[in-house]
C-alpha cells in the first residue's frame, strides 16, 4: 500500500508502527520512508526496533548501504496492509455513524399537517429523543417520492397509497365533514332559491393523493352524486370557492374548522357512522428500524391520544 493511496491516521502504538513498516517495506530506504511518514529518520529507525521487539522477530536486515526484508518482514509486508485497511474502514464507518447522528431527521408533512396534529407528533418525537428534525410539507405523492429518493427519512401520507416498496404505519385518523357556504353566501343562495345541497362538488386535484381522493368520493357517493364539477389547486382555494357560494366540498374536520376561522363557511358532520380517513407515516426498508419505531410510537401517542394509542400503530 503506497503512502499516497491512504492518508496516515493519527494512531498510536502498534498500528502507527505498522504504517511506518509498510512505508519502509515499500521504499527499502529509511530516509525516503521517513520523509513519506513525516518523521525523522532516527525516529523511524527507533520505531522499527520497537516493532521487532513487540512481534518477537527481526523484520529488517540492515546492511551498511541498504536494508532488506527478512522472511518475517516479508510475511508482515503481506499482512500489515490488510490490517491497516480494516482499520481505515472501521474509522470511516465510525465517522459516518457520527455524521449521521448529527444530521437532522428529515420529515415531510402532509400539506394539511397543521390541522392533522402532525406538528404535535414531530414535537413529541423531538422532546423524547432530543434529536434535530428538519421539516417541509407536500402532498402524498410527492412525499412518497422524496422518501424513495432518500431526500426524506419519514413522510406523512394519506392512505390508501401505492407504496409497496416502502414501510408504512397508520398513526391516526380524522373525521370527514361537509364544507358548505356560510353567512352571506348562504343567504344569497336562499334568496335565489338555490339549495346548498344542490351546489356543485369542488375538490382538489386527484393527482396529489389519488387514494384519499377516491376514498373521499366513496363517502360522498353515500350522500349525493360524487361527480366533481371542478378542482382547485389546494385546500385553501377549495375553501375560498365554497365560501363564495360556488359549491360544496368534503374534507377533514380539523382542516375544515381551521378554514372556517377566516372564511364564511359552515362545517356539517356526516353520518352516523361518521366517516374517517387515515394519517400514515412511510419510510424506506433500509431505514434504521429502531429509529423508525421511536418515530412511529411518538406519532401514535398524539394521533390516537385518548383513542387507544396502539390501535393504528401497526407497521406494514
Amino acid at each position: 500500500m503506497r503512502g499516497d493511496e491512504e492518508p496516515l491516521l493519527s494512531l498510536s502504538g502498534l498500528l502507527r508502527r505498522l504504517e511506518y513498516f509498510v512505508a519502509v517495506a515499500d521504499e527499502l530506504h529509511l530516509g525516503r520512508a521517513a520523509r513519506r511518514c513525516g518523521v525523522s529518520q532516527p525516529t523511524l529507525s527507533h520505531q522499527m526496533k520497537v516493532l521487532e521487539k513487540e512481534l518477537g522477530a527481526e523484520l529488517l536486515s540492515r546492511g551498511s548501504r541498504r536494508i532488506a526484508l527478512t522472511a518475517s518482514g516479508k510475511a508482515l509486508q503481506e499482512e500489515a496492509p490488510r490490517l491497516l485497511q480494516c482499520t481505515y474502514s472501521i474509522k470511516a464507518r465510525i465517522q459516518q455513524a457520527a455524521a449521521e447522528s448529527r444530521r437532522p431527521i428529515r420529515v415531510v408533512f402532509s400539506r394539511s399537517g397543521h390541522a392533522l396534529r402532525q406538528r404535535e407528533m414531530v414535537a413529541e418525537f423531538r422532546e423524547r429523543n432530543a434529536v434535530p428534525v428538519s421539516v417541509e410539507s407536500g402532498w402524498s405523492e410527492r412525499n412518497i417520492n422524496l422518501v424513495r429518493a432518500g431526500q426524506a427519512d419519514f413522510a406523512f401520507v394519506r392512505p390508501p397509497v401505492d407504496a409497496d416498496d416502502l414501510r408504512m404505519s397508520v398513526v391516526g385518523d380524522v373525521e370527514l365533514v361537509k364544507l358548505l357556504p356560510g353567512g352571506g353566501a348562504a343567504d344569497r343562495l336562499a334568496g335565489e332559491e338555490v339549495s346548498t345541497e344542490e351546489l356543485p362538488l369542488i375538490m382538489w386535484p386527484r393527482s396529489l393523493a389519488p387514494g384519499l381522493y377516491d376514498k373521499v368520493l366513496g363517502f360522498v357517493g353515500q350522500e349525493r352524486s360524487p361527480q366533481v364539477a371542478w378542482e382547485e389547486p389546494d385546500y385553501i382555494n377549495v375553501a375560498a370557492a365554497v365560501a363564495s357560494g360556488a359549491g360544496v366540498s368534503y374534507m377533514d374536520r380539523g382542516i375544515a374548522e381551521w378554514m372556517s376561522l377566516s372564511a364564511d363557511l359552515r362545517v356539517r358532520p356526516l353520518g352516523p357512522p361518521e366517516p374517517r380517513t387515515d394519517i400514515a407515516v412511510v419510510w424506506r426498508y433500509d431505514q434504521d428500524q429502531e429509529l423508525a419505531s421511536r418515530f412511529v410510537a411518538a406519532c401514535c401517542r398524539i394521533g390516537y391520544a385518548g383513542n387507544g394509542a396502539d390501535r393504528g400503530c401497526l407497521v406494514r
Side-chain angles (χ1 to χ4, degrees):
M1 175 172 50
R2 302 293 302 181
D4 56 356
E5 292 176 343
E6 287 287 355
L8 287 174
L9 301 179
S10 297
L11 301 174
S12 61
L14 177 61
L15 291 176
R16 179 185 297 164
R17 285 186 280 279
L18 286 176
E19 288 187 310
Y20 291 167
F21 172 79
V22 168
V24 172
D26 284 348
E27 302 291 346
L28 292 179
H29 189 282
L30 288 176
R32 289 194 297 269
R35 288 191 295 273
R36 175 170 146 181
C37 295
V39 297
S40 67
Q41 183 171 330
T43 295
L44 182 63
S45 180
H46 172 71
Q47 290 296 313
M48 290 301 94
K49 291 177 181 178
V50 172
L51 180 61
E52 289 175 323
K53 183 176 181 180
E54 288 175 328
L55 297 179
E58 185 181 21
L59 303 174
L60 302 173
S61 174
R62 299 166 176 83
S64 58
R65 304 183 63 177
R66 62 186 297 273
I67 61 173
L69 296 177
T70 65
S72 296
K74 290 178 180 179
L76 184 59
Q77 186 183 30
E78 293 181 5
E79 298 297 335
R82 285 197 284 268
L83 177 59
L84 290 172
Q85 185 57 53
C86 182
T87 302
Y88 297 137
S89 298
I90 291 172
K91 182 177 181 180
R93 289 181 61 185
I94 292 171
Q95 291 176 333
Q96 181 180 3
E100 286 291 316
S101 69
R102 295 190 297 268
R103 177 181 66 78
I105 305 300
R106 300 162 298 182
V107 178
V108 188
F109 289 152
S110 166
R111 186 61 61 86
S112 50
H114 60 280
L116 301 179
R117 307 195 73 189
Q118 293 168 42
R119 187 186 64 79
E120 291 93 331
M121 293 177 186
V122 171
E124 171 78 1
F125 173 74
R126 277 192 180 114
E127 181 178 347
R128 289 178 176 260
N129 294 276
V131 295
V133 179
S134 66
V135 296
E136 60 177 292
S137 65
W139 294 94
S140 290
E141 289 300 292
R142 174 179 179 271
N143 292 359
I144 288 170
N145 289 331
L146 286 174
V147 173
R148 283 180 176 141
Q151 297 173 16
D153 298 299
F154 302 99
F156 290 94
V157 297
R158 305 303 305 278
V161 295
D162 182 13
D164 290 341
D165 56 323
L166 301 176
R167 305 198 78 178
M168 183 177 79
S169 176
V170 175
V171 295
D173 61 13
V174 291
E175 179 186 355
L176 187 72
V177 297
K178 189 171 185 177
L179 197 62
L180 300 163
D187 292 341
R188 175 175 56 78
L189 292 168
E192 297 173 2
E193 297 185 350
V194 176
S195 168
T196 55
E197 304 301 318
E198 298 172 354
L199 290 175
L201 177 60
I202 303 171
M203 288 286 285
W204 34 267
R206 182 179 183 275
S207 61
L208 301 180
L212 176 62
Y213 187 100
D214 294 343
K215 188 172 184 177
V216 170
L217 289 191
F219 289 135
V220 171
Q222 299 173 20
E223 185 183 68
R224 58 174 289 167
S225 169
Q227 185 66 37
V228 178
W230 77 82
E231 295 175 342
E232 294 288 345
D234 50 40
Y235 286 126
I236 293 177
N237 284 284
V238 169
V242 173
S244 73
V248 300
S249 190
Y250 296 76
M251 59 181 65
D252 303 315
R253 175 182 280 277
I255 301 169
E257 291 179 343
W258 188 81
M259 295 293 183
S260 69
L261 295 176
S262 57
D264 201 358
L265 298 164
R266 288 186 295 130
V267 177
R268 195 188 79 182
L270 302 173
E274 63 182 32
R276 303 187 72 83
T277 58
D278 293 330
I279 308 161
V281 172
V282 296
W283 65 95
R284 295 181 307 280
Y285 275 89
D286 62 358
Q287 179 61 264
D288 180 339
Q289 293 307 307
E290 194 272 335
L291 174 66
S293 295
R294 285 188 279 126
F295 187 82
V296 168
C299 293
C300 287
R301 278 191 292 270
I302 301 300
Y304 287 109
N307 211 12
D310 296 328
R311 182 159 66 92
C313 297
L314 298 177
V315 176
R316 186 198 70 186

